Amino acid sequence: NSSKLSEYEILETIGTGSFGTCKKVSRKSDRKVFVWKEVGYGGMSEKEKQLLVQEVNLLRELRHPHIVRYHDRIIDRENCTLYIIMEFCEGGDLGSVIKKHREEKSLVGESMVVKVLHQLLLALRECHKKRDGVHKVLHRDLKPANVFLDSRGNVKLGDFGLARILHHNFSLAQTFIGTPYYMSPEVFSEKAYDEKSDLWSLGCLIHELCTLSPPFTARDQQALAAKVLQGKVRRIPHYYSANLQSIIDSLLATEPSRRPDIATLLGRVEGLGPPATTP
Ligand SMILES: CN(C)CCCNS(=O)(=O)c1cccc(Nc2nc(OCC3CCCCC3)c3[nH]cnc3n2)c1
């Protein structure tokens, strides 16, 4: 029996994403806390609704310690709204962590950076393993606001799938798309997007975690593309190890084929600092 909205109590609105509103809710039966994401499908064509169903089915299949867990969905036909109920991550998002460190002028410790790198590599390996019938599941929207921390400080990759839904240029998504800081050279030059593009975005995210601002910034998309295609990146602070610098350099290789694959990267990361997942 599909669950109903009345089984949940709304605690607070956490924020609004490219898909709609995200709220913190608690299940009345056991007070367990979740988030739900409200996706309005009123303006969608039959085709777009089909895509939405496909994406939610994809979300349901991904079960991994470092991917935010999908729990349930509720369809409210009266308001043409789909509610996707997911695991609540108490630690908030990485964007807020970076903002805090920038304001406090303090660097993120290397062990935390390595933990985020390691756990996101494990999450991306799982995503790339999956196929939704035809093509590979790529994240496409890896950015600090889409990476969450649980109560034990473990990293959880969130909100993908929703990213792909909105890649079919839905109107709402267009209004939310900010500057694509993490867009890879091949995507700017409209070449094929594949796993290596997710690794480029991971490189941007880890670089930002070390420097507290995006590796490539510009006032508009054209200027950003020029910088990304030129491929010059400032080094991370000397506080961090040469190993970490070289892993980031390899992820930010302009030519996708020069970026190592996930297995190679995991070997290099597991060779670094202390064990990653907090038991
Ligand atoms: C320790 N403190 C410093 C941190 C306090 C932190 N607590 S907090 O304020 O409730 C808080 C803040 C941000 C996130 C979360 N947890 C969370 N957020 C999601 O999405 C956020 C949404 C994404 C799109 C854009 C709008 C926001 C999730 N999606 C699936 N699971 C999720 N979990 C909790």
Side-chain angles (χ1 to χ4, degrees), residues 12 14-24 34-37 68-69 86-93 96-97 100 145-146 148-149 156 158-159:
E12 63 181 287
I14 294 184
T16 306
S18 46
F19 52 88
T21 306
C22 175
K23 293 184 177 164
K24 186 177 172 182
F34 294 91
V35 300
W36 77 26
K37 308 213 159 170
V68 167
R69 186 64 162 278
M86 308 171 92
E87 156 188 19
F88 172 67
C89 300
E90 295 81 357
D93 67 288
S96 307
V97 169
K100 183 171 70 76
N146 258 344
F148 303 103
L149 296 165
K156 305 265 180 175
D159 271 9

PDB file of all heavy atoms in Angstrom, residues 12 14-24 34-37 68-69 86-93 96-97 100 145-146 148-149 156 158-159, ligand 1:
ATOM      1  N   GLU A  12      10.232  21.355   8.646  1.00  0.00           N
ATOM      2  CA  GLU A  12      10.681  22.682   8.157  1.00  0.00           C
ATOM      3  C   GLU A  12      11.069  22.562   6.686  1.00  0.00           C
ATOM      4  O   GLU A  12      11.305  21.456   6.190  1.00  0.00           O
ATOM      5  CB  GLU A  12      11.907  23.158   8.957  1.00  0.00           C
ATOM      6  CG  GLU A  12      13.125  22.248   8.796  1.00  0.00           C
ATOM      7  CD  GLU A  12      14.333  22.721   9.604  1.00  0.00           C
ATOM      8  OE1 GLU A  12      14.934  23.726   9.200  1.00  0.00           O
ATOM      9  OE2 GLU A  12      14.655  22.058  10.601  1.00  0.00           O
ATOM     10  N   ILE A  14      13.831  22.989   3.995  1.00  0.00           N
ATOM     11  CA  ILE A  14      15.298  23.096   4.021  1.00  0.00           C
ATOM     12  C   ILE A  14      15.759  24.038   2.918  1.00  0.00           C
ATOM     13  O   ILE A  14      16.656  24.853   3.102  1.00  0.00           O
ATOM     14  CB  ILE A  14      15.950  21.701   3.835  1.00  0.00           C
ATOM     15  CG1 ILE A  14      15.626  20.811   5.034  1.00  0.00           C
ATOM     16  CG2 ILE A  14      17.454  21.851   3.672  1.00  0.00           C
ATOM     17  CD1 ILE A  14      16.301  19.461   4.985  1.00  0.00           C
ATOM     18  N   GLY A  15      15.138  23.936   1.751  1.00  0.00           N
ATOM     19  CA  GLY A  15      15.548  24.837   0.677  1.00  0.00           C
ATOM     20  C   GLY A  15      14.811  24.510  -0.609  1.00  0.00           C
ATOM     21  O   GLY A  15      13.941  23.646  -0.628  1.00  0.00           O
ATOM     22  N   THR A  16      15.170  25.230  -1.664  1.00  0.00           N
ATOM     23  CA  THR A  16      14.538  25.008  -2.973  1.00  0.00           C
ATOM     24  C   THR A  16      15.618  24.704  -3.984  1.00  0.00           C
ATOM     25  O   THR A  16      16.619  25.422  -4.056  1.00  0.00           O
ATOM     26  CB  THR A  16      13.759  26.271  -3.389  1.00  0.00           C
ATOM     27  OG1 THR A  16      12.859  26.589  -2.323  1.00  0.00           O
ATOM     28  CG2 THR A  16      12.973  26.023  -4.657  1.00  0.00           C
ATOM     29  N   GLY A  17      15.454  23.613  -4.694  1.00  0.00           N
ATOM     30  CA  GLY A  17      16.448  23.228  -5.697  1.00  0.00           C
ATOM     31  C   GLY A  17      15.894  23.403  -7.092  1.00  0.00           C
ATOM     32  O   GLY A  17      14.805  23.956  -7.257  1.00  0.00           O
ATOM     33  N   SER A  18      16.632  22.882  -8.069  1.00  0.00           N
ATOM     34  CA  SER A  18      16.216  23.056  -9.470  1.00  0.00           C
ATOM     35  C   SER A  18      14.942  22.251  -9.738  1.00  0.00           C
ATOM     36  O   SER A  18      14.235  22.476 -10.690  1.00  0.00           O
ATOM     37  CB  SER A  18      17.332  22.588 -10.398  1.00  0.00           C
ATOM     38  OG  SER A  18      17.809  21.338  -9.924  1.00  0.00           O
ATOM     39  N   PHE A  19      14.643  21.305  -8.863  1.00  0.00           N
ATOM     40  CA  PHE A  19      13.470  20.426  -9.085  1.00  0.00           C
ATOM     41  C   PHE A  19      12.233  20.976  -8.377  1.00  0.00           C
ATOM     42  O   PHE A  19      11.121  20.718  -8.772  1.00  0.00           O
ATOM     43  CB  PHE A  19      13.770  19.022  -8.523  1.00  0.00           C
ATOM     44  CG  PHE A  19      14.229  19.123  -7.115  1.00  0.00           C
ATOM     45  CD1 PHE A  19      13.311  19.112  -6.074  1.00  0.00           C
ATOM     46  CD2 PHE A  19      15.561  19.344  -6.813  1.00  0.00           C
ATOM     47  CE1 PHE A  19      13.716  19.289  -4.764  1.00  0.00           C
ATOM     48  CE2 PHE A  19      15.965  19.530  -5.495  1.00  0.00           C
ATOM     49  CZ  PHE A  19      15.045  19.498  -4.476  1.00  0.00           C
ATOM     50  N   GLY A  20      12.438  21.720  -7.249  1.00  0.00           N
ATOM     51  CA  GLY A  20      11.294  22.181  -6.444  1.00  0.00           C
ATOM     52  C   GLY A  20      11.739  22.355  -5.000  1.00  0.00           C
ATOM     53  O   GLY A  20      12.921  22.600  -4.721  1.00  0.00           O
ATOM     54  N   THR A  21      10.805  22.170  -4.075  1.00  0.00           N
ATOM     55  CA  THR A  21      11.091  22.439  -2.665  1.00  0.00           C
ATOM     56  C   THR A  21      11.501  21.180  -1.925  1.00  0.00           C
ATOM     57  O   THR A  21      10.975  20.094  -2.207  1.00  0.00           O
ATOM     58  CB  THR A  21       9.825  23.023  -1.997  1.00  0.00           C
ATOM     59  OG1 THR A  21       9.414  24.148  -2.755  1.00  0.00           O
ATOM     60  CG2 THR A  21      10.109  23.466  -0.564  1.00  0.00           C
ATOM     61  N   CYS A  22      12.445  21.331  -1.009  1.00  0.00           N
ATOM     62  CA  CYS A  22      12.910  20.230  -0.173  1.00  0.00           C
ATOM     63  C   CYS A  22      12.511  20.508   1.273  1.00  0.00           C
ATOM     64  O   CYS A  22      12.825  21.572   1.811  1.00  0.00           O
ATOM     65  CB  CYS A  22      14.428  20.122  -0.290  1.00  0.00           C
ATOM     66  SG  CYS A  22      15.119  18.893   0.819  1.00  0.00           S
ATOM     67  N   LYS A  23      11.799  19.557   1.893  1.00  0.00           N
ATOM     68  CA  LYS A  23      11.364  19.758   3.272  1.00  0.00           C
ATOM     69  C   LYS A  23      11.860  18.620   4.167  1.00  0.00           C
ATOM     70  O   LYS A  23      12.011  17.486   3.723  1.00  0.00           O
ATOM     71  CB  LYS A  23       9.840  19.851   3.344  1.00  0.00           C
ATOM     72  CG  LYS A  23       9.315  21.112   2.667  1.00  0.00           C
ATOM     73  CD  LYS A  23       7.817  21.294   2.784  1.00  0.00           C
ATOM     74  CE  LYS A  23       7.425  22.622   2.144  1.00  0.00           C
ATOM     75  NZ  LYS A  23       5.974  22.732   1.875  1.00  0.00           N
ATOM     76  N   LYS A  24      12.100  18.980   5.422  1.00  0.00           N
ATOM     77  CA  LYS A  24      12.468  17.986   6.443  1.00  0.00           C
ATOM     78  C   LYS A  24      11.146  17.514   7.023  1.00  0.00           C
ATOM     79  O   LYS A  24      10.305  18.329   7.410  1.00  0.00           O
ATOM     80  CB  LYS A  24      13.332  18.687   7.497  1.00  0.00           C
ATOM     81  CG  LYS A  24      13.936  17.781   8.553  1.00  0.00           C
ATOM     82  CD  LYS A  24      14.824  18.625   9.474  1.00  0.00           C
ATOM     83  CE  LYS A  24      15.313  17.861  10.672  1.00  0.00           C
ATOM     84  NZ  LYS A  24      16.123  18.719  11.574  1.00  0.00           N
ATOM     85  N   PHE A  34      12.998  12.234   7.633  1.00  0.00           N
ATOM     86  CA  PHE A  34      13.398  12.106   6.223  1.00  0.00           C
ATOM     87  C   PHE A  34      13.413  13.502   5.620  1.00  0.00           C
ATOM     88  O   PHE A  34      13.087  14.481   6.281  1.00  0.00           O
ATOM     89  CB  PHE A  34      12.352  11.263   5.451  1.00  0.00           C
ATOM     90  CG  PHE A  34      12.266   9.832   5.881  1.00  0.00           C
ATOM     91  CD1 PHE A  34      11.376   9.444   6.886  1.00  0.00           C
ATOM     92  CD2 PHE A  34      13.076   8.855   5.309  1.00  0.00           C
ATOM     93  CE1 PHE A  34      11.286   8.115   7.300  1.00  0.00           C
ATOM     94  CE2 PHE A  34      12.989   7.531   5.712  1.00  0.00           C
ATOM     95  CZ  PHE A  34      12.100   7.171   6.705  1.00  0.00           C
ATOM     96  N   VAL A  35      13.803  13.601   4.338  1.00  0.00           N
ATOM     97  CA  VAL A  35      13.465  14.809   3.573  1.00  0.00           C
ATOM     98  C   VAL A  35      12.506  14.359   2.476  1.00  0.00           C
ATOM     99  O   VAL A  35      12.522  13.183   2.093  1.00  0.00           O
ATOM    100  CB  VAL A  35      14.687  15.501   2.915  1.00  0.00           C
ATOM    101  CG1 VAL A  35      15.707  15.946   3.920  1.00  0.00           C
ATOM    102  CG2 VAL A  35      15.307  14.638   1.843  1.00  0.00           C
ATOM    103  N   TRP A  36      11.639  15.271   2.021  1.00  0.00           N
ATOM    104  CA  TRP A  36      10.928  14.980   0.786  1.00  0.00           C
ATOM    105  C   TRP A  36      11.182  16.123  -0.185  1.00  0.00           C
ATOM    106  O   TRP A  36      11.386  17.272   0.220  1.00  0.00           O
ATOM    107  CB  TRP A  36       9.458  14.661   0.989  1.00  0.00           C
ATOM    108  CG  TRP A  36       8.475  15.765   1.251  1.00  0.00           C
ATOM    109  CD1 TRP A  36       8.553  17.078   0.889  1.00  0.00           C
ATOM    110  CD2 TRP A  36       7.221  15.620   1.926  1.00  0.00           C
ATOM    111  NE1 TRP A  36       7.454  17.753   1.298  1.00  0.00           N
ATOM    112  CE2 TRP A  36       6.601  16.890   1.927  1.00  0.00           C
ATOM    113  CE3 TRP A  36       6.545  14.553   2.518  1.00  0.00           C
ATOM    114  CZ2 TRP A  36       5.349  17.118   2.487  1.00  0.00           C
ATOM    115  CZ3 TRP A  36       5.295  14.792   3.066  1.00  0.00           C
ATOM    116  CH2 TRP A  36       4.713  16.047   3.069  1.00  0.00           C
ATOM    117  N   LYS A  37      11.216  15.761  -1.457  1.00  0.00           N
ATOM    118  CA  LYS A  37      11.432  16.738  -2.515  1.00  0.00           C
ATOM    119  C   LYS A  37      10.153  16.767  -3.339  1.00  0.00           C
ATOM    120  O   LYS A  37       9.646  15.723  -3.738  1.00  0.00           O
ATOM    121  CB  LYS A  37      12.640  16.343  -3.364  1.00  0.00           C
ATOM    122  CG  LYS A  37      13.852  16.093  -2.459  1.00  0.00           C
ATOM    123  CD  LYS A  37      15.179  16.437  -3.007  1.00  0.00           C
ATOM    124  CE  LYS A  37      16.141  16.616  -1.848  1.00  0.00           C
ATOM    125  NZ  LYS A  37      17.539  16.738  -2.234  1.00  0.00           N
ATOM    126  N   VAL A  68      22.725   9.022  -1.354  1.00  0.00           N
ATOM    127  CA  VAL A  68      21.548   9.319  -0.519  1.00  0.00           C
ATOM    128  C   VAL A  68      20.440   8.320  -0.867  1.00  0.00           C
ATOM    129  O   VAL A  68      20.127   8.104  -2.036  1.00  0.00           O
ATOM    130  CB  VAL A  68      21.064  10.768  -0.773  1.00  0.00           C
ATOM    131  CG1 VAL A  68      19.693  10.990  -0.189  1.00  0.00           C
ATOM    132  CG2 VAL A  68      22.053  11.753  -0.179  1.00  0.00           C
ATOM    133  N   ARG A  69      19.866   7.702   0.151  1.00  0.00           N
ATOM    134  CA  ARG A  69      18.921   6.605  -0.065  1.00  0.00           C
ATOM    135  C   ARG A  69      17.513   7.110  -0.377  1.00  0.00           C
ATOM    136  O   ARG A  69      16.974   7.932   0.355  1.00  0.00           O
ATOM    137  CB  ARG A  69      18.891   5.770   1.211  1.00  0.00           C
ATOM    138  CG  ARG A  69      18.077   4.540   1.092  1.00  0.00           C
ATOM    139  CD  ARG A  69      18.659   3.591   0.054  1.00  0.00           C
ATOM    140  NE  ARG A  69      18.129   2.256   0.257  1.00  0.00           N
ATOM    141  CZ  ARG A  69      18.648   1.430   1.165  1.00  0.00           C
ATOM    142  NH1 ARG A  69      19.699   1.814   1.874  1.00  0.00           N
ATOM    143  NH2 ARG A  69      18.126   0.251   1.345  1.00  0.00           N
ATOM    144  N   MET A  86      13.334  10.785   0.913  1.00  0.00           N
ATOM    145  CA  MET A  86      14.720  10.298   0.927  1.00  0.00           C
ATOM    146  C   MET A  86      15.332  10.400   2.316  1.00  0.00           C
ATOM    147  O   MET A  86      14.827  11.109   3.175  1.00  0.00           O
ATOM    148  CB  MET A  86      15.570  11.149  -0.027  1.00  0.00           C
ATOM    149  CG  MET A  86      14.963  11.261  -1.404  1.00  0.00           C
ATOM    150  SD  MET A  86      15.859  12.471  -2.373  1.00  0.00           S
ATOM    151  CE  MET A  86      17.020  11.388  -3.128  1.00  0.00           C
ATOM    152  N   GLU A  87      16.448   9.732   2.478  1.00  0.00           N
ATOM    153  CA  GLU A  87      17.213   9.748   3.730  1.00  0.00           C
ATOM    154  C   GLU A  87      17.592  11.196   4.077  1.00  0.00           C
ATOM    155  O   GLU A  87      18.034  11.954   3.191  1.00  0.00           O
ATOM    156  CB  GLU A  87      18.465   8.899   3.475  1.00  0.00           C
ATOM    157  CG  GLU A  87      19.655   9.178   4.325  1.00  0.00           C
ATOM    158  CD  GLU A  87      20.893   8.408   3.827  1.00  0.00           C
ATOM    159  OE1 GLU A  87      20.945   7.948   2.665  1.00  0.00           O
ATOM    160  OE2 GLU A  87      21.793   8.263   4.639  1.00  0.00           O
ATOM    161  N   PHE A  88      17.441  11.607   5.339  1.00  0.00           N
ATOM    162  CA  PHE A  88      17.850  12.938   5.798  1.00  0.00           C
ATOM    163  C   PHE A  88      19.305  12.890   6.226  1.00  0.00           C
ATOM    164  O   PHE A  88      19.709  11.982   6.965  1.00  0.00           O
ATOM    165  CB  PHE A  88      16.979  13.368   6.989  1.00  0.00           C
ATOM    166  CG  PHE A  88      17.448  14.636   7.659  1.00  0.00           C
ATOM    167  CD1 PHE A  88      17.389  15.857   6.996  1.00  0.00           C
ATOM    168  CD2 PHE A  88      17.955  14.610   8.953  1.00  0.00           C
ATOM    169  CE1 PHE A  88      17.821  17.032   7.608  1.00  0.00           C
ATOM    170  CE2 PHE A  88      18.387  15.779   9.568  1.00  0.00           C
ATOM    171  CZ  PHE A  88      18.323  16.991   8.895  1.00  0.00           C
ATOM    172  N   CYS A  89      20.105  13.829   5.724  1.00  0.00           N
ATOM    173  CA  CYS A  89      21.536  13.867   6.093  1.00  0.00           C
ATOM    174  C   CYS A  89      21.739  15.003   7.094  1.00  0.00           C
ATOM    175  O   CYS A  89      21.638  16.182   6.745  1.00  0.00           O
ATOM    176  CB  CYS A  89      22.374  14.096   4.835  1.00  0.00           C
ATOM    177  SG  CYS A  89      22.130  12.788   3.620  1.00  0.00           S
ATOM    178  N   GLU A  90      22.007  14.599   8.347  1.00  0.00           N
ATOM    179  CA  GLU A  90      22.063  15.581   9.443  1.00  0.00           C
ATOM    180  C   GLU A  90      23.183  16.608   9.262  1.00  0.00           C
ATOM    181  O   GLU A  90      23.095  17.705   9.790  1.00  0.00           O
ATOM    182  CB  GLU A  90      22.302  14.874  10.785  1.00  0.00           C
ATOM    183  CG  GLU A  90      21.183  13.961  11.227  1.00  0.00           C
ATOM    184  CD  GLU A  90      21.252  12.600  10.535  1.00  0.00           C
ATOM    185  OE1 GLU A  90      22.143  12.408   9.680  1.00  0.00           O
ATOM    186  OE2 GLU A  90      20.395  11.753  10.817  1.00  0.00           O
ATOM    187  N   GLY A  91      24.249  16.222   8.573  1.00  0.00           N
ATOM    188  CA  GLY A  91      25.413  17.126   8.507  1.00  0.00           C
ATOM    189  C   GLY A  91      25.284  18.236   7.477  1.00  0.00           C
ATOM    190  O   GLY A  91      26.165  19.083   7.358  1.00  0.00           O
ATOM    191  N   GLY A  92      24.160  18.212   6.753  1.00  0.00           N
ATOM    192  CA  GLY A  92      23.983  19.287   5.765  1.00  0.00           C
ATOM    193  C   GLY A  92      24.810  19.040   4.508  1.00  0.00           C
ATOM    194  O   GLY A  92      25.296  17.934   4.291  1.00  0.00           O
ATOM    195  N   ASP A  93      24.950  20.062   3.714  1.00  0.00           N
ATOM    196  CA  ASP A  93      25.628  19.907   2.407  1.00  0.00           C
ATOM    197  C   ASP A  93      27.055  20.464   2.458  1.00  0.00           C
ATOM    198  O   ASP A  93      27.389  21.303   3.293  1.00  0.00           O
ATOM    199  CB  ASP A  93      24.818  20.628   1.319  1.00  0.00           C
ATOM    200  CG  ASP A  93      24.827  22.134   1.531  1.00  0.00           C
ATOM    201  OD1 ASP A  93      24.158  22.585   2.487  1.00  0.00           O
ATOM    202  OD2 ASP A  93      25.533  22.847   0.798  1.00  0.00           O
ATOM    203  N   SER A  96      27.762  24.292   2.334  1.00  0.00           N
ATOM    204  CA  SER A  96      27.724  25.035   3.609  1.00  0.00           C
ATOM    205  C   SER A  96      29.030  24.852   4.376  1.00  0.00           C
ATOM    206  O   SER A  96      29.500  25.769   5.045  1.00  0.00           O
ATOM    207  CB  SER A  96      26.556  24.546   4.464  1.00  0.00           C
ATOM    208  OG  SER A  96      25.369  24.604   3.705  1.00  0.00           O
ATOM    209  N   VAL A  97      29.638  23.653   4.249  1.00  0.00           N
ATOM    210  CA  VAL A  97      30.921  23.393   4.940  1.00  0.00           C
ATOM    211  C   VAL A  97      31.994  24.318   4.359  1.00  0.00           C
ATOM    212  O   VAL A  97      32.748  24.970   5.094  1.00  0.00           O
ATOM    213  CB  VAL A  97      31.335  21.908   4.781  1.00  0.00           C
ATOM    214  CG1 VAL A  97      32.764  21.674   5.254  1.00  0.00           C
ATOM    215  CG2 VAL A  97      30.360  20.994   5.520  1.00  0.00           C
ATOM    216  N   LYS A 100      31.462  27.894   5.491  1.00  0.00           N
ATOM    217  CA  LYS A 100      31.870  28.071   6.902  1.00  0.00           C
ATOM    218  C   LYS A 100      33.382  28.242   6.982  1.00  0.00           C
ATOM    219  O   LYS A 100      33.883  29.182   7.603  1.00  0.00           O
ATOM    220  CB  LYS A 100      31.416  26.851   7.712  1.00  0.00           C
ATOM    221  CG  LYS A 100      31.690  26.920   9.197  1.00  0.00           C
ATOM    222  CD  LYS A 100      31.014  25.784   9.967  1.00  0.00           C
ATOM    223  CE  LYS A 100      31.657  24.436   9.666  1.00  0.00           C
ATOM    224  NZ  LYS A 100      32.963  24.252  10.339  1.00  0.00           N
ATOM    225  N   ALA A 145      26.744  21.585  -3.340  1.00  0.00           N
ATOM    226  CA  ALA A 145      25.360  21.650  -2.830  1.00  0.00           C
ATOM    227  C   ALA A 145      24.645  20.312  -2.979  1.00  0.00           C
ATOM    228  O   ALA A 145      23.593  20.095  -2.386  1.00  0.00           O
ATOM    229  CB  ALA A 145      24.586  22.736  -3.569  1.00  0.00           C
ATOM    230  N   ASN A 146      25.243  19.388  -3.753  1.00  0.00           N
ATOM    231  CA  ASN A 146      24.626  18.085  -4.001  1.00  0.00           C
ATOM    232  C   ASN A 146      25.316  16.955  -3.273  1.00  0.00           C
ATOM    233  O   ASN A 146      25.081  15.793  -3.571  1.00  0.00           O
ATOM    234  CB  ASN A 146      24.720  17.773  -5.505  1.00  0.00           C
ATOM    235  CG  ASN A 146      23.404  18.021  -6.188  1.00  0.00           C
ATOM    236  OD1 ASN A 146      22.375  18.132  -5.516  1.00  0.00           O
ATOM    237  ND2 ASN A 146      23.439  18.107  -7.488  1.00  0.00           N
ATOM    238  N   PHE A 148      26.168  15.518   0.584  1.00  0.00           N
ATOM    239  CA  PHE A 148      25.707  15.705   1.963  1.00  0.00           C
ATOM    240  C   PHE A 148      26.525  14.878   2.937  1.00  0.00           C
ATOM    241  O   PHE A 148      27.252  13.974   2.527  1.00  0.00           O
ATOM    242  CB  PHE A 148      24.224  15.308   2.051  1.00  0.00           C
ATOM    243  CG  PHE A 148      23.360  16.092   1.095  1.00  0.00           C
ATOM    244  CD1 PHE A 148      22.919  15.512  -0.087  1.00  0.00           C
ATOM    245  CD2 PHE A 148      23.050  17.410   1.344  1.00  0.00           C
ATOM    246  CE1 PHE A 148      22.163  16.235  -0.995  1.00  0.00           C
ATOM    247  CE2 PHE A 148      22.294  18.140   0.434  1.00  0.00           C
ATOM    248  CZ  PHE A 148      21.851  17.553  -0.729  1.00  0.00           C
ATOM    249  N   LEU A 149      26.401  15.238   4.231  1.00  0.00           N
ATOM    250  CA  LEU A 149      27.097  14.494   5.279  1.00  0.00           C
ATOM    251  C   LEU A 149      26.061  13.903   6.224  1.00  0.00           C
ATOM    252  O   LEU A 149      25.067  14.557   6.552  1.00  0.00           O
ATOM    253  CB  LEU A 149      28.024  15.436   6.053  1.00  0.00           C
ATOM    254  CG  LEU A 149      29.156  16.034   5.215  1.00  0.00           C
ATOM    255  CD1 LEU A 149      29.797  17.207   5.940  1.00  0.00           C
ATOM    256  CD2 LEU A 149      30.201  14.984   4.869  1.00  0.00           C
ATOM    257  N   LYS A 156      27.544  11.528   1.366  1.00  0.00           N
ATOM    258  CA  LYS A 156      26.432  10.942   0.596  1.00  0.00           C
ATOM    259  C   LYS A 156      26.198  11.761  -0.668  1.00  0.00           C
ATOM    260  O   LYS A 156      25.911  12.954  -0.581  1.00  0.00           O
ATOM    261  CB  LYS A 156      25.146  10.973   1.438  1.00  0.00           C
ATOM    262  CG  LYS A 156      25.280  10.300   2.800  1.00  0.00           C
ATOM    263  CD  LYS A 156      24.818   8.872   2.767  1.00  0.00           C
ATOM    264  CE  LYS A 156      24.958   8.235   4.147  1.00  0.00           C
ATOM    265  NZ  LYS A 156      24.401   6.863   4.147  1.00  0.00           N
ATOM    266  N   GLY A 158      24.033  13.106  -3.512  1.00  0.00           N
ATOM    267  CA  GLY A 158      22.586  13.282  -3.554  1.00  0.00           C
ATOM    268  C   GLY A 158      22.097  13.692  -4.916  1.00  0.00           C
ATOM    269  O   GLY A 158      22.870  13.997  -5.807  1.00  0.00           O
ATOM    270  N   ASP A 159      20.758  13.719  -4.983  1.00  0.00           N
ATOM    271  CA  ASP A 159      20.082  14.425  -6.059  1.00  0.00           C
ATOM    272  C   ASP A 159      20.475  14.174  -7.481  1.00  0.00           C
ATOM    273  O   ASP A 159      20.261  15.026  -8.327  1.00  0.00           O
ATOM    274  CB  ASP A 159      20.291  15.927  -5.834  1.00  0.00           C
ATOM    275  CG  ASP A 159      19.171  16.404  -4.957  1.00  0.00           C
ATOM    276  OD1 ASP A 159      18.464  15.527  -4.466  1.00  0.00           O
ATOM    277  OD2 ASP A 159      18.998  17.593  -4.796  1.00  0.00           O
TER     278      ASP A 159
HETATM  279  C1  LIG B   1      26.014  20.504  11.590  1.00  0.00           C
HETATM  280  N1  LIG B   1      25.432  21.736  11.049  1.00  0.00           N
HETATM  281  C2  LIG B   1      26.452  22.779  10.785  1.00  0.00           C
HETATM  282  C3  LIG B   1      24.750  21.404   9.799  1.00  0.00           C
HETATM  283  C4  LIG B   1      23.287  21.648  10.003  1.00  0.00           C
HETATM  284  C5  LIG B   1      22.534  21.095   8.786  1.00  0.00           C
HETATM  285  N2  LIG B   1      21.189  20.787   9.167  1.00  0.00           N
HETATM  286  S1  LIG B   1      19.993  21.294   8.197  1.00  0.00           S
HETATM  287  O1  LIG B   1      19.980  22.729   8.178  1.00  0.00           O
HETATM  288  O2  LIG B   1      18.802  20.653   8.619  1.00  0.00           O
HETATM  289  C6  LIG B   1      20.349  20.717   6.635  1.00  0.00           C
HETATM  290  C7  LIG B   1      20.866  21.613   5.740  1.00  0.00           C
HETATM  291  C8  LIG B   1      21.116  21.163   4.429  1.00  0.00           C
HETATM  292  C9  LIG B   1      20.849  19.822   4.076  1.00  0.00           C
HETATM  293  C10 LIG B   1      20.360  18.953   5.058  1.00  0.00           C
HETATM  294  N3  LIG B   1      20.091  17.616   4.765  1.00  0.00           N
HETATM  295  C11 LIG B   1      19.657  17.143   3.578  1.00  0.00           C
HETATM  296  N4  LIG B   1      19.427  18.038   2.580  1.00  0.00           N
HETATM  297  C12 LIG B   1      19.003  17.577   1.382  1.00  0.00           C
HETATM  298  O3  LIG B   1      18.757  18.441   0.362  1.00  0.00           O
HETATM  299  C13 LIG B   1      18.919  19.831   0.654  1.00  0.00           C
HETATM  300  C14 LIG B   1      18.322  20.612  -0.497  1.00  0.00           C
HETATM  301  C15 LIG B   1      19.060  20.272  -1.789  1.00  0.00           C
HETATM  302  C16 LIG B   1      18.518  21.083  -2.934  1.00  0.00           C
HETATM  303  C17 LIG B   1      18.550  22.568  -2.646  1.00  0.00           C
HETATM  304  C18 LIG B   1      17.837  22.889  -1.348  1.00  0.00           C
HETATM  305  C19 LIG B   1      18.383  22.088  -0.192  1.00  0.00           C
HETATM  306  C20 LIG B   1      18.825  16.210   1.185  1.00  0.00           C
HETATM  307  N5  LIG B   1      18.428  15.475   0.104  1.00  0.00           N
HETATM  308  C21 LIG B   1      18.441  14.191   0.534  1.00  0.00           C
HETATM  309  N6  LIG B   1      18.828  14.117   1.811  1.00  0.00           N
HETATM  310  C22 LIG B   1      19.071  15.359   2.247  1.00  0.00           C
HETATM  311  N7  LIG B   1      19.501  15.820   3.443  1.00  0.00           N
HETATM  312  C23 LIG B   1      20.127  19.416   6.342  1.00  0.00           C
END
